[in-house]
Amino acid sequence: MGLSVAFDLPTQIGYDSDHDMAEGEVGKVGVAIDSLKDIEILFDGIELKRITTSMTINATASILLAMYIALAKKQGADLKEISGTIQNDILKEYAARGTYIYPPKPSMRIITDIFEYCSKEVPKWNTISISGYHIREAGSTAVQELAFTLANGKAYLNAALEKGLDINVFAKRLSFFFNCHNNFFEEIAKFRAARRMWAHITKSLGATDEKAMMLRFHTQTGGSTLTAQQPLNNVIRVTNQAMAAVLGGTQSLHTNGYDEALSLPTEAAAKIALRTQQVIAFESGVVDTVDPLAGSYFVEALTDEIEAAALAYIDKIDAMGGSVNAIENGYIQQEIANSAYQYQKEVESAERIIVGVNKFTQQKEGITDVLNIDEFDTDNTD
């Protein structure tokens, strides 16, 4: 009974569908929402009190959440019982993605206002999903993804504390969203380090409730690791990444379609992505044990190594005054850009092997069926 809603780019940055800046982007990467009526159409026949809804929205999160609440009221739902998540993580937009509207400090005010409102009026709502996914997609290393994500989380905690909110209340509604790339053990160690680090961060800021110290996180397999060349190889990559996420302790998982480098997923690609999760869940046995790699010398040592490297980054960001200042002075963006450049150099020199791209290549890629959104007559101007 969980739904996930993706919004098109105009909705993400606050443009109506008929605005000149929206041309060519309406409905392309998600649904277009211009009014409360659009939300009513989107959820027609769905009782909000019976489902949980995740909305991938940041700069306009307050507006979309207000519309969702208005629809819940119209349906007669008890706001104390409706549940879901808004991404609402504006700092990673400045650092890596770009769908921001307002400057960082005013954006932080909006986010903490949402924390305060929801803690009183919509207590089961997850008010932010602090995202490393986009940081990694922009080219960061695993250590940088971990460090910058938790540094952003720390900035949100401090902003809420400055507003006078109780960390033992609002921190329970925070969740995280991480990426999972191809280095199997590095990714597992990253997730293990993340939980330990977040517990220390929240405790150092005054959390005493264990649930306020928990790092609840969703993982998505790495879109930027998927190749247009020999795209069926991506089934293997996604399986490897999904298994690492599960072994690392993710509570929620999204597996990408093998044709992501070509288009939005076809029905066949979406089905194999789903079946990948189901095979791991019901056939592999890895979900039967909590932290199954605990005690492995290599995994434990790598976890410690990644934690130490991430803490060094966080200490440097703290010395700058926190993530907002580190983003405003361009430090985080430059670190990500440097890592992306280094990665590409390694691929082009074949120091880093990408199967089907710079080794084991072939002339015919083996897939031609892609999803095309524009299936209407573009010459029809009526």
Coordinates of all heavy atoms in Angstrom, one line a residue, residues 69-156:
I69 N -2.2 17.4 1.9 CA -3.0 17.5 3.1 C -4.4 18.1 2.8 O -5.4 17.6 3.4 CB -2.2 18.5 4.1 CG1 -1.0 17.8 4.6 CG2 -3.1 18.9 5.3 CD1 0.0 18.7 5.4
A70 N -4.5 19.0 1.9 CA -5.8 19.5 1.5 C -6.7 18.4 1.0 O -7.9 18.4 1.3 CB -5.7 20.7 0.5
L71 N -6.1 17.6 0.1 CA -6.9 16.5 -0.4 C -7.3 15.5 0.7 O -8.4 15.0 0.7 CB -6.1 15.7 -1.5 CG -6.8 14.5 -2.1 CD1 -8.1 14.8 -2.7 CD2 -5.9 13.9 -3.2
A72 N -6.4 15.2 1.6 CA -6.7 14.3 2.8 C -7.8 14.9 3.6 O -8.8 14.1 4.0 CB -5.4 14.1 3.6
K73 N -7.8 16.2 3.8 CA -8.9 16.8 4.5 C -10.2 16.7 3.8 O -11.3 16.4 4.3 CB -8.6 18.3 4.8 CG -7.6 18.6 5.8 CD -7.4 20.1 6.0 CE -6.5 20.4 7.1 NZ -6.3 21.9 7.3
K74 N -10.2 16.9 2.4 CA -11.4 16.8 1.6 C -11.9 15.4 1.6 O -13.2 15.2 1.6 CB -11.0 17.2 0.2 CG -12.2 17.2 -0.8 CD -11.9 17.8 -2.1 CE -13.1 17.9 -3.0 NZ -12.7 18.5 -4.4
Q75 N -11.1 14.4 1.8 CA -11.5 13.0 1.9 C -12.0 12.6 3.3 O -12.5 11.5 3.5 CB -10.3 12.0 1.5 CG -10.0 12.1 0.0 CD -8.9 11.0 -0.4 OE1 -8.3 10.4 0.5 NE2 -8.6 10.9 -1.7
G76 N -11.8 13.5 4.2 CA -12.2 13.2 5.6 C -11.2 12.4 6.4 O -11.6 11.9 7.4
A77 N -10.0 12.4 5.9 CA -8.9 11.6 6.7 C -8.5 12.3 7.9 O -8.5 13.6 8.0 CB -7.7 11.4 5.7
D78 N -8.1 11.6 8.9 CA -7.5 12.1 10.1 C -6.0 12.4 9.8 O -5.2 11.5 9.6 CB -7.6 11.1 11.3 CG -7.0 11.6 12.6 OD1 -6.5 12.7 12.6 OD2 -7.1 10.9 13.6
L79 N -5.6 13.7 9.9 CA -4.3 14.1 9.6 C -3.2 13.5 10.5 O -2.1 13.3 10.1 CB -4.1 15.6 9.6 CG -4.9 16.4 8.6 CD1 -4.5 17.9 8.6 CD2 -4.8 15.8 7.2
K80 N -3.7 13.1 11.7 CA -2.8 12.5 12.6 C -2.4 11.0 12.2 O -1.5 10.4 12.7 CB -3.4 12.4 14.0 CG -3.7 13.8 14.7 CD -2.4 14.4 15.2 CE -2.6 15.6 16.1 NZ -3.2 16.7 15.4
E81 N -3.2 10.5 11.2 CA -3.0 9.1 10.8 C -2.4 9.0 9.4 O -1.9 7.9 9.0 CB -4.3 8.4 10.9 CG -4.9 8.2 12.3 CD -3.9 7.5 13.2 OE1 -3.3 6.5 12.8 OE2 -3.8 7.9 14.4
I82 N -2.4 10.1 8.6 CA -1.8 9.9 7.2 C -0.3 9.9 7.3 O 0.3 10.5 8.2 CB -2.3 11.0 6.3 CG1 -1.7 12.4 6.6 CG2 -3.8 11.1 6.2 CD1 -1.9 13.4 5.6
S83 N 0.3 9.1 6.4 CA 1.7 8.9 6.5 C 2.4 9.0 5.1 O 1.7 8.7 4.1 CB 2.1 7.6 7.2 OG 1.6 6.5 6.4
G84 N 3.6 9.3 5.0 CA 4.3 9.4 3.8 C 5.7 10.1 4.0 O 6.1 10.3 5.1
T85 N 6.3 10.5 2.9 CA 7.6 11.1 2.9 C 7.7 12.2 1.8 O 7.2 12.0 0.7 CB 8.7 10.1 2.7 OG1 8.6 9.1 3.6 CG2 10.1 10.7 2.8
I86 N 8.3 13.3 2.2 CA 8.7 14.3 1.1 C 10.2 14.3 1.2 O 10.8 14.3 2.2 CB 8.1 15.7 1.3 CG1 8.2 16.1 2.8 CG2 6.7 15.8 0.8 CD1 7.8 17.6 3.1
Q87 N 10.8 14.4 0.0 CA 12.3 14.4 0.0 C 12.8 15.6 0.7 O 13.6 15.6 1.6 CB 12.8 14.3 -1.5 CG 14.3 14.0 -1.5 CD 14.7 13.5 -2.9 OE1 15.2 14.3 -3.7 NE2 14.6 12.2 -3.2
N88 N 12.4 16.8 0.2 CA 12.6 18.1 1.0 C 14.0 18.4 1.4 O 14.3 19.1 2.4 CB 11.7 18.0 2.3 CG 11.4 19.3 2.9 OD1 11.4 20.4 2.2 ND2 11.2 19.4 4.2
D89 N 15.0 17.8 0.6 CA 16.4 18.0 0.9 C 17.0 19.0 0.0 O 17.5 18.6 -1.1 CB 17.1 16.6 0.9 CG 18.6 16.7 1.0 OD1 19.1 17.8 1.5 OD2 19.3 15.7 0.8
I90 N 17.0 20.2 0.3 CA 17.4 21.3 -0.6 C 19.0 21.4 -0.7 O 19.5 21.8 -1.7 CB 16.8 22.6 -0.2 CG1 16.8 23.6 -1.4 CG2 17.6 23.3 1.0 CD1 15.8 23.1 -2.5
L91 N 19.7 21.0 0.4 CA 21.1 21.2 0.3 C 21.8 20.3 -0.8 O 22.7 20.8 -1.5 CB 21.7 20.8 1.7 CG 21.4 21.8 2.8 CD1 22.0 21.3 4.1 CD2 21.8 23.2 2.5
K92 N 21.3 19.1 -1.0 CA 21.9 18.3 -2.0 C 21.5 18.8 -3.4 O 22.2 18.6 -4.4 CB 21.5 16.8 -1.9 CG 20.0 16.5 -2.1 CD 19.7 16.1 -3.5 CE 18.3 15.6 -3.7 NZ 17.2 16.5 -3.1
E93 N 20.5 19.6 -3.5 CA 20.1 20.3 -4.8 C 21.2 21.3 -5.2 O 21.6 21.3 -6.3 CB 18.8 21.0 -4.7 CG 17.6 20.0 -4.5 CD 17.4 19.1 -5.7 OE1 17.7 19.5 -6.8 OE2 16.9 18.0 -5.5
Y94 N 21.7 22.1 -4.2 CA 22.8 23.0 -4.5 C 24.1 22.3 -4.7 O 24.9 22.7 -5.6 CB 23.0 23.9 -3.3 CG 21.8 24.8 -3.0 CD1 21.0 24.6 -1.9 CD2 21.5 25.9 -3.8 CE1 19.9 25.4 -1.7 CE2 20.4 26.7 -3.6 CZ 19.6 26.5 -2.5 OH 18.5 27.2 -2.3
A95 N 24.3 21.2 -4.0 CA 25.6 20.5 -4.1 C 25.7 19.7 -5.4 O 26.8 19.5 -5.9 CB 25.8 19.6 -2.9
A96 N 24.6 19.1 -5.9 CA 24.7 18.1 -6.9 C 23.6 18.1 -8.0 O 23.9 17.6 -9.1 CB 24.7 16.7 -6.3
R97 N 22.5 18.6 -7.8 CA 21.4 18.3 -8.7 C 20.8 19.6 -9.4 O 20.6 19.6 -10.6 CB 20.3 17.6 -8.0 CG 19.2 17.0 -8.9 CD 18.4 15.9 -8.3 NE 17.3 15.5 -9.2 CZ 16.1 16.1 -9.1 NH1 15.8 17.0 -8.3 NH2 15.2 15.7 -10.0
G98 N 20.5 20.6 -8.7 CA 20.1 21.9 -9.3 C 18.7 22.3 -9.3 O 18.4 23.4 -9.8
T99 N 17.7 21.5 -8.8 CA 16.3 22.0 -8.8 C 16.0 22.8 -7.6 O 15.1 22.4 -6.8 CB 15.3 20.8 -9.0 OG1 15.4 19.9 -7.9 CG2 15.6 20.0 -10.3
Y100 N 16.7 23.9 -7.4 CA 16.4 24.7 -6.3 C 15.8 26.0 -6.8 O 15.9 26.4 -7.9 CB 17.7 25.0 -5.5 CG 18.9 25.5 -6.3 CD1 19.0 26.9 -6.7 CD2 19.9 24.7 -6.7 CE1 20.0 27.3 -7.4 CE2 20.9 25.1 -7.5 CZ 21.0 26.5 -7.9 OH 22.0 26.9 -8.6
I101 N 15.2 26.8 -5.8 CA 14.5 28.0 -6.2 C 15.1 29.2 -5.3 O 15.6 30.2 -5.8 CB 13.0 28.0 -6.0 CG1 12.4 26.9 -6.9 CG2 12.4 29.3 -6.3 CD1 10.9 26.6 -6.6
Y102 N 15.1 29.0 -4.0 CA 15.4 30.0 -3.1 C 16.9 29.8 -2.6 O 17.4 28.7 -2.8 CB 14.5 30.0 -1.9 CG 13.0 29.9 -2.3 CD1 12.3 28.7 -2.0 CD2 12.4 30.9 -2.9 CE1 11.0 28.6 -2.4 CE2 11.1 30.8 -3.3 CZ 10.4 29.6 -3.0 OH 9.1 29.5 -3.4
P103 N 17.5 30.8 -2.1 CA 18.9 30.7 -1.5 C 18.9 29.7 -0.4 O 17.9 29.4 0.2 CB 19.2 32.1 -1.1 CG 18.3 33.0 -1.8 CD 17.0 32.2 -2.0
P104 N 20.1 29.2 0.0 CA 20.2 28.1 1.0 C 19.6 28.5 2.3 O 18.8 27.7 2.9 CB 21.7 27.9 1.1 CG 22.3 28.3 -0.2 CD 21.4 29.4 -0.7
K105 N 19.9 29.6 2.9 CA 19.4 29.9 4.3 C 17.9 30.1 4.3 O 17.3 29.5 5.2 CB 20.1 31.2 4.8 CG 21.6 30.9 5.2 CD 22.3 32.1 5.8 CE 23.7 31.8 6.3 NZ 24.6 31.6 5.3
P106 N 17.3 30.8 3.4 CA 15.8 30.8 3.4 C 15.2 29.5 3.2 O 14.1 29.1 3.7 CB 15.4 31.8 2.3 CG 16.6 32.7 2.2 CD 17.8 31.8 2.5
S107 N 15.8 28.6 2.4 CA 15.4 27.3 2.1 C 15.4 26.5 3.4 O 14.5 25.7 3.7 CB 16.2 26.6 1.1 OG 16.0 27.2 -0.2
M108 N 16.4 26.7 4.2 CA 16.5 26.0 5.5 C 15.4 26.4 6.4 O 14.9 25.6 7.2 CB 17.9 26.2 6.2 CG 19.1 25.7 5.4 SD 19.1 23.9 5.5 CE 19.7 23.6 7.1
R109 N 15.0 27.6 6.4 CA 13.9 28.1 7.2 C 12.6 27.4 6.8 O 11.8 26.9 7.6 CB 13.7 29.6 7.0 CG 12.4 30.2 7.4 CD 12.2 30.2 8.9 NE 10.8 30.6 9.3 CZ 10.4 31.9 9.4 NH1 11.2 32.9 9.2 NH2 9.2 32.1 9.7
I110 N 12.3 27.2 5.5 CA 11.1 26.5 5.0 C 11.1 25.1 5.5 O 10.1 24.6 6.0 CB 11.0 26.6 3.5 CG1 10.8 28.0 3.0 CG2 9.9 25.7 3.0 CD1 10.9 28.2 1.5
I111 N 12.3 24.4 5.4 CA 12.4 23.0 5.8 C 12.1 22.9 7.3 O 11.3 22.0 7.7 CB 13.8 22.5 5.4 CG1 13.9 22.3 3.9 CG2 14.1 21.2 6.1 CD1 15.2 22.1 3.4
T112 N 12.7 23.7 8.1 CA 12.4 23.6 9.6 C 11.0 24.0 9.9 O 10.4 23.4 10.9 CB 13.4 24.4 10.4 OG1 13.4 25.8 10.0 CG2 14.9 23.9 10.2
D113 N 10.4 24.9 9.2 CA 9.0 25.2 9.4 C 8.1 23.9 9.1 O 7.1 23.6 9.8 CB 8.5 26.3 8.4 CG 8.9 27.7 8.9 OD1 9.4 27.8 10.1 OD2 8.8 28.7 8.1
I114 N 8.5 23.2 8.1 CA 7.8 21.9 7.8 C 8.0 20.9 8.9 O 7.0 20.2 9.4 CB 8.3 21.3 6.5 CG1 7.9 22.2 5.3 CG2 7.7 19.9 6.2 CD1 8.5 21.8 4.0
F115 N 9.2 20.8 9.5 CA 9.5 19.9 10.6 C 8.5 20.3 11.7 O 7.9 19.4 12.3 CB 10.9 20.1 11.2 CG 12.0 19.6 10.3 CD1 13.3 19.7 10.7 CD2 11.8 18.9 9.1 CE1 14.4 19.2 10.0 CE2 12.8 18.4 8.4 CZ 14.1 18.5 8.8
E116 N 8.4 21.6 12.0 CA 7.6 22.0 13.2 C 6.1 21.8 12.9 O 5.4 21.2 13.8 CB 7.8 23.5 13.4 CG 7.1 24.1 14.6 CD 7.4 25.6 14.8 OE1 7.6 26.3 13.8 OE2 7.4 26.0 16.0
Y117 N 5.6 22.1 11.7 CA 4.2 21.9 11.5 C 3.9 20.4 11.5 O 2.9 20.0 12.2 CB 3.9 22.5 10.1 CG 2.5 22.1 9.6 CD1 1.4 22.9 10.1 CD2 2.2 21.0 8.8 CE1 0.1 22.5 9.7 CE2 0.9 20.7 8.4 CZ -0.1 21.4 8.9 OH -1.4 21.1 8.5
C118 N 4.6 19.6 10.9 CA 4.3 18.2 10.8 C 4.4 17.5 12.1 O 3.6 16.6 12.4 CB 5.2 17.5 9.8 SG 4.8 17.9 8.0
S119 N 5.4 17.9 13.0 CA 5.5 17.2 14.3 C 4.3 17.5 15.1 O 3.9 16.6 16.0 CB 6.7 17.8 15.0 OG 6.6 19.2 15.3
K120 N 3.5 18.6 14.8 CA 2.3 18.9 15.6 C 1.0 18.4 14.9 O 0.1 17.8 15.5 CB 2.2 20.4 15.8 CG 3.3 21.0 16.6 CD 3.2 22.5 16.7 CE 4.3 23.1 17.5 NZ 4.2 24.6 17.4
E121 N 1.0 18.5 13.6 CA -0.3 18.3 12.8 C -0.3 17.0 12.1 O -1.3 16.4 11.9 CB -0.5 19.4 11.9 CG -0.5 20.8 12.5 CD -1.7 21.0 13.5 OE1 -2.7 20.3 13.3 OE2 -1.6 21.8 14.4
V122 N 0.9 16.5 11.6 CA 0.9 15.3 10.8 C 2.1 14.4 11.3 O 3.1 14.2 10.6 CB 1.2 15.6 9.3 CG1 0.8 14.4 8.4 CG2 0.4 16.8 8.8
P123 N 2.0 13.9 12.5 CA 3.1 13.3 13.2 C 3.7 12.1 12.6 O 4.8 11.7 12.9 CB 2.5 13.0 14.6 CG 1.0 12.9 14.4 CD 0.7 13.9 13.3
K124 N 2.9 11.4 11.7 CA 3.4 10.2 11.1 C 4.1 10.5 9.7 O 4.6 9.5 9.1 CB 2.3 9.2 10.9 CG 1.8 8.6 12.2 CD 0.8 7.5 11.9 CE 0.3 6.8 13.2 NZ -0.6 5.7 13.0
W125 N 4.2 11.7 9.4 CA 4.8 12.1 8.1 C 6.3 12.2 8.3 O 6.8 12.8 9.2 CB 4.3 13.4 7.6 CG 4.6 13.6 6.1 CD1 5.7 14.2 5.6 CD2 3.8 13.1 5.1 NE1 5.6 14.1 4.2 CE2 4.4 13.5 3.9 CE3 2.6 12.4 5.0 CZ2 3.9 13.2 2.6 CZ3 2.1 12.1 3.7 CH2 2.7 12.5 2.6
N126 N 7.1 11.6 7.3 CA 8.5 11.7 7.3 C 8.9 13.0 6.6 O 8.6 13.1 5.4 CB 9.2 10.5 6.6 CG 8.9 9.2 7.3 OD1 9.1 9.1 8.5 ND2 8.4 8.2 6.5
T127 N 9.4 14.0 7.3 CA 9.5 15.3 6.8 C 10.7 15.6 5.9 O 10.8 16.7 5.3 CB 9.5 16.3 8.0 OG1 10.5 15.8 9.0 CG2 8.2 16.4 8.7
I128 N 11.6 14.7 5.9 CA 12.8 14.9 5.0 C 13.4 13.5 4.6 O 13.4 12.6 5.5 CB 13.8 15.8 5.6 CG1 14.8 16.3 4.5 CG2 14.5 15.2 6.8 CD1 15.7 17.5 5.0
S129 N 13.9 13.4 3.4 CA 14.7 12.2 3.0 C 16.1 12.8 2.6 O 16.2 13.3 1.5 CB 14.0 11.5 1.9 OG 14.9 10.4 1.5
I130 N 17.0 12.7 3.5 CA 18.3 13.3 3.3 C 19.1 12.4 2.3 O 19.4 11.3 2.5 CB 19.1 13.5 4.6 CG1 18.2 14.3 5.6 CG2 20.4 14.2 4.4 CD1 18.6 14.1 7.0
S131 N 19.5 13.0 1.1 CA 19.8 12.2 0.0 C 21.3 12.3 -0.4 O 21.8 13.3 -0.7 CB 19.0 12.7 -1.2 OG 17.6 12.6 -0.9
G132 N 21.9 11.1 -0.4 CA 23.2 11.0 -1.0 C 23.2 10.5 -2.4 O 24.2 10.6 -3.1
Y133 N 22.0 10.0 -2.8 CA 21.9 9.4 -4.1 C 22.4 10.4 -5.2 O 23.2 10.0 -6.1 CB 20.5 9.0 -4.4 CG 20.3 8.2 -5.7 CD1 20.5 6.9 -5.8 CD2 20.1 8.9 -6.9 CE1 20.5 6.2 -7.0 CE2 20.0 8.2 -8.1 CZ 20.2 6.9 -8.2 OH 20.1 6.2 -9.3
H134 N 21.9 11.6 -5.2 CA 22.2 12.5 -6.3 C 23.7 13.0 -6.2 O 24.3 13.3 -7.2 CB 21.3 13.7 -6.2 CG 19.8 13.3 -6.0 ND1 19.3 13.0 -4.8 CD2 18.8 13.1 -6.9 CE1 18.1 12.6 -4.9 NE2 17.7 12.7 -6.2
I135 N 24.2 13.0 -5.0 CA 25.6 13.4 -4.8 C 26.5 12.4 -5.5 O 27.5 12.7 -6.2 CB 25.9 13.5 -3.3 CG1 25.2 14.7 -2.7 CG2 27.4 13.6 -3.0 CD1 25.3 14.8 -1.1
R136 N 26.1 11.1 -5.3 CA 26.9 10.0 -5.9 C 26.7 10.0 -7.5 O 27.7 9.8 -8.2 CB 26.5 8.7 -5.4 CG 27.4 7.5 -5.7 CD 28.8 7.6 -5.1 NE 29.7 6.5 -5.3 CZ 29.6 5.4 -4.7 NH1 28.7 5.1 -3.8 NH2 30.5 4.4 -5.0
E137 N 25.5 10.3 -7.9 CA 25.3 10.3 -9.3 C 26.0 11.5 -10.0 O 26.4 11.4 -11.2 CB 23.7 10.5 -9.6 CG 22.9 9.3 -9.3 CD 23.2 8.1 -10.2 OE1 22.7 8.1 -11.3 OE2 24.0 7.2 -9.7
A138 N 26.3 12.5 -9.2 CA 27.0 13.7 -9.8 C 28.5 13.4 -9.9 O 29.3 14.2 -10.5 CB 26.8 14.9 -8.9
G139 N 29.0 12.3 -9.3 CA 30.4 11.9 -9.5 C 31.2 11.7 -8.2 O 32.4 11.5 -8.3
S140 N 30.6 11.8 -7.0 CA 31.3 11.6 -5.8 C 31.8 10.2 -5.6 O 31.3 9.3 -6.2 CB 30.4 12.1 -4.6 OG 29.6 11.0 -4.2
T141 N 32.7 10.1 -4.7 CA 33.1 8.7 -4.2 C 32.2 8.2 -3.2 O 31.3 9.0 -2.7 CB 34.5 8.8 -3.6 OG1 34.5 9.6 -2.4 CG2 35.6 9.4 -4.6
A142 N 32.3 7.0 -2.8 CA 31.4 6.4 -1.7 C 31.7 7.2 -0.4 O 30.7 7.5 0.3 CB 31.7 5.0 -1.5
V143 N 32.9 7.5 -0.1 CA 33.2 8.2 1.1 C 32.6 9.6 1.1 O 32.0 10.1 2.1 CB 34.8 8.3 1.3 CG1 35.1 9.4 2.4 CG2 35.3 7.0 1.7
Q144 N 32.7 10.3 0.0 CA 32.1 11.6 -0.2 C 30.6 11.6 -0.1 O 30.0 12.5 0.6 CB 32.5 12.3 -1.5 CG 34.0 12.7 -1.6 CD 34.4 13.1 -2.9 OE1 33.8 12.7 -4.0 NE2 35.4 13.9 -3.0
E145 N 30.0 10.6 -0.7 CA 28.5 10.4 -0.6 C 28.1 10.3 0.9 O 27.2 11.0 1.4 CB 28.1 9.2 -1.3 CG 26.6 9.0 -1.2 CD 26.1 7.6 -1.6 OE1 27.0 6.8 -2.1 OE2 24.9 7.3 -1.5
L146 N 28.8 9.5 1.6 CA 28.5 9.3 3.0 C 28.8 10.6 3.8 O 27.9 11.0 4.6 CB 29.4 8.2 3.6 CG 29.3 7.9 5.1 CD1 27.9 7.6 5.5 CD2 30.3 6.8 5.4
A147 N 29.9 11.2 3.6 CA 30.3 12.4 4.4 C 29.4 13.6 4.1 O 28.9 14.2 5.1 CB 31.7 12.8 4.1
F148 N 29.1 13.9 2.9 CA 28.3 15.0 2.5 C 26.9 14.9 2.9 O 26.2 15.8 3.3 CB 28.5 15.4 1.0 CG 29.9 15.7 0.6 CD1 30.3 15.5 -0.7 CD2 30.8 16.2 1.5 CE1 31.6 15.8 -1.1 CE2 32.1 16.4 1.1 CZ 32.5 16.3 -0.2
T149 N 26.4 13.6 2.8 CA 25.0 13.3 3.2 C 24.8 13.5 4.7 O 23.9 14.2 5.1 CB 24.6 11.9 2.8 OG1 24.8 11.7 1.4 CG2 23.1 11.6 3.1
L150 N 25.7 13.0 5.5 CA 25.6 13.1 6.9 C 25.9 14.5 7.4 O 25.3 15.0 8.4 CB 26.5 12.1 7.6 CG 26.2 10.6 7.4 CD1 26.9 9.7 8.4 CD2 24.7 10.3 7.5
A151 N 26.8 15.2 6.7 CA 27.0 16.6 7.0 C 25.7 17.5 6.8 O 25.4 18.3 7.6 CB 28.2 17.2 6.2
N152 N 25.1 17.2 5.7 CA 23.8 17.8 5.4 C 22.8 17.5 6.5 O 22.0 18.4 7.0 CB 23.2 17.4 4.0 CG 24.0 18.0 2.9 OD1 24.8 18.9 3.1 ND2 23.8 17.6 1.7
G153 N 22.7 16.2 6.9 CA 21.8 15.8 7.9 C 22.1 16.6 9.2 O 21.2 17.0 9.9
K154 N 23.4 16.7 9.5 CA 23.8 17.4 10.7 C 23.3 18.9 10.7 O 22.9 19.5 11.7 CB 25.3 17.4 10.9 CG 25.8 17.8 12.2 CD 27.3 17.5 12.3 CE 27.9 17.9 13.7 NZ 29.3 17.6 13.7
A155 N 23.4 19.5 9.5 CA 22.9 20.9 9.3 C 21.4 21.0 9.5 O 21.0 22.0 10.1 CB 23.3 21.3 7.9
Y156 N 20.7 20.0 9.1 CA 19.2 20.0 9.3 C 18.9 19.9 10.8 O 18.0 20.6 11.4 CB 18.5 18.9 8.5 CG 18.6 19.2 7.0 CD1 19.0 18.2 6.2 CD2 18.1 20.3 6.4 CE1 19.1 18.3 4.8 CE2 18.2 20.5 5.1 CZ 18.7 19.5 4.3 OH 18.7 19.7 2.9

